Amino acid sequence: ILSVSIIYIIFQNLFEKALELKKFNIIFFYHLAFIFIFLVYTKSNDSDSIKYFIDGSRNIPRDGFFYFGSQFVVVLTSNLINLFKLDYFSLNIVFGSFGTLGLLFLASMVDKKPITNFLSYYFLLILIFLPSLHFFTSTIGKDSLIFLSACILVWCLYDFNNTKIPLLIGSLFLMALTRIYIALPVIFALLFFFPFIIEKKYKNIFYKFYYISVFTLIFLVFIFIKEIFVKAGIITEAEFIFNKIDLNHLWLRTKSSFVATSTANSNYMEMHNNYLFYYFKYTFGPFI
């Protein structure tokens, strides 16, 4: 009750001017309902959220400054548990609130400039209230974080102004920490087109300097490509040494990593004998 109340007050103040109270309440409590639905689901089904909570509770010391993927979720979970003394239920509410926050960003964007096109407007409403989207972003894990970062990114680019740059960078940083192999192509695409969406038109010297910097950054990424792939969990240190710089091997491992992330796990049918849940996840899972 305390977790929900605090999160509600913070979010309500954050979107007080950006979203009508009635719309805010509908989205907040609709997503909250799915957080509790997921908690009921985990009572009789396996879930990564339990693994993240157990690993975070153990507070295993880790080396390094930055953490990526599942390791980042465990470290974040551990810090939240230690800082706020959260139990499993409250921690699910906190992570579920990341999904709520992403939905509120989307809703405020739609509410800011009402869409007159009937089909477009109702398509966005269906997207915001899609049940499976709420289900998979209502628990401890990477889905709520990657969804939040994507929503903030879209909100920043829509009606862009220079004051949004810090939040834009923050969303990309969160995306990189959560799933770096998704963040890299997004960052590169954004870097190439960013001069076309900034507020002012600059002299040619600015664009020349900008693109020189971009290509320098890309060059640096290729220099540290091994560390990036190892940190992302796509390859192991031993695999990289054995295959050296075999780009075909990197491509195959990257491809398998994308497939594993963006498609349903067929083990659900074997684990739960639940075809309904399998096709629910396969059809409506949070694809890349």
Side-chain angles (χ1 to χ4, degrees):
I1 292 171
L2 184 62
S3 300
V4 172
S5 301
I6 291 172
I7 292 167
Y8 179 87
I9 292 169
I10 293 172
F11 286 2
Q12 203 278 319
N13 280 278
L14 188 63
F15 290 92
E16 186 176 9
K17 296 180 180 178
L19 197 61
E20 292 179 17
L21 182 60
K22 181 181 178 180
K23 294 177 181 178
F24 172 87
N25 285 335
I26 291 172
I27 292 171
F28 185 90
F29 289 107
Y30 182 70
H31 191 73
L32 182 65
F34 280 91
I35 295 174
F36 289 110
I37 289 171
F38 198 96
L39 287 170
V40 172
Y41 167 81
T42 56
K43 287 178 71 68
S44 56
N45 294 275
D46 189 25
S47 169
D48 286 343
S49 63
I50 299 171
K51 176 181 71 69
Y52 285 129
F53 180 77
I54 292 172
D55 290 347
S57 300
R58 289 173 180 169
N59 196 24
I60 302 170
R62 298 171 183 271
D63 297 325
F65 187 71
F66 291 115
Y67 308 93
F68 297 89
S70 297
Q71 192 181 31
F72 169 65
V73 177
V74 171
V75 171
L76 178 60
T77 299
S78 178
N79 288 325
L80 287 170
I81 291 171
N82 292 330
L83 190 61
F84 299 107
K85 309 300 179 187
L86 300 176
D87 59 9
Y88 176 73
F89 300 102
S90 294
L91 192 61
N92 268 280
I93 290 171
V94 171
F95 266 85
S97 70
F98 296 146
T100 306
L101 186 57
L103 289 161
L104 290 171
F105 269 106
L106 280 185
S108 66
M109 187 178 67
V110 176
D111 209 42
K112 185 178 180 181
K113 291 185 177 180
I115 297 172
T116 54
N117 185 289
F118 179 86
L119 290 176
S120 298
Y121 180 74
Y122 280 96
F123 173 78
L124 286 169
L125 280 184
I126 291 170
L127 176 65
I128 291 173
F129 292 103
L130 191 67
S132 56
L133 178 67
H134 290 259
F135 186 77
F136 290 111
T137 58
S138 62
T139 185
I140 307 167
K142 290 179 281 188
D143 288 335
S144 57
L145 294 171
I146 198 73
F147 179 70
L148 172 60
S149 63
C151 289
I152 293 176
L153 176 67
V154 172
W155 181 84
C156 289
L157 294 177
Y158 182 76
D159 198 18
F160 178 81
N161 60 68
N162 290 341
T163 60
K164 292 183 176 181
I165 290 177
L167 197 57
L168 177 67
I169 295 172
S171 68
L172 293 171
F173 186 60
L174 177 60
M175 189 179 290
L177 291 175
T178 308
R179 288 195 173 113
I180 193 169
Y181 49 89
I182 296 177
L184 285 177
V186 171
I187 291 170
F188 286 153
L190 189 61
L191 285 173
F192 275 116
F193 292 101
F194 192 69
F196 297 98
I197 63 171
I198 53 180
E199 279 185 314
K200 299 176 182 178
K201 297 295 181 182
Y202 296 94
K203 295 180 180 179
N204 288 336
I205 186 69
F206 166 80
Y207 296 103
K208 289 178 181 177
F209 177 78
Y210 179 85
Y211 282 111
I212 288 172
S213 302
V214 168
F215 284 111
T216 302
L217 178 63
I218 294 173
F219 178 72
L220 289 173
V221 167
F222 278 106
I223 290 177
F224 295 102
I225 193 72
K226 184 202 78 169
E227 285 78 6
I228 291 172
F229 275 89
V230 171
K231 274 286 188 181
I234 294 173
I235 61 170
T236 63
E237 186 82 28
E239 280 182 313
F240 191 87
I241 293 170
F242 179 76
N243 291 279
K244 294 187 179 179
I245 52 171
D246 186 348
L247 295 179
N248 185 54
H249 178 72
L250 289 178
W251 164 248
L252 290 174
R253 288 307 305 271
T254 305
K255 185 178 179 182
S256 65
S257 182
F258 268 87
V259 170
T261 303
S262 61
T263 59
N265 184 353
S266 59
N267 290 336
Y268 276 113
M269 285 193 288
E270 299 171 7
M271 290 163 56
H272 311 303
N273 193 27
N274 190 336
Y275 285 85
L276 179 62
F277 182 77
Y278 171 75
Y279 288 111
F280 177 73
K281 181 172 174 60
Y282 184 84
T283 309
F284 297 109
F287 290 174
I288 292 172

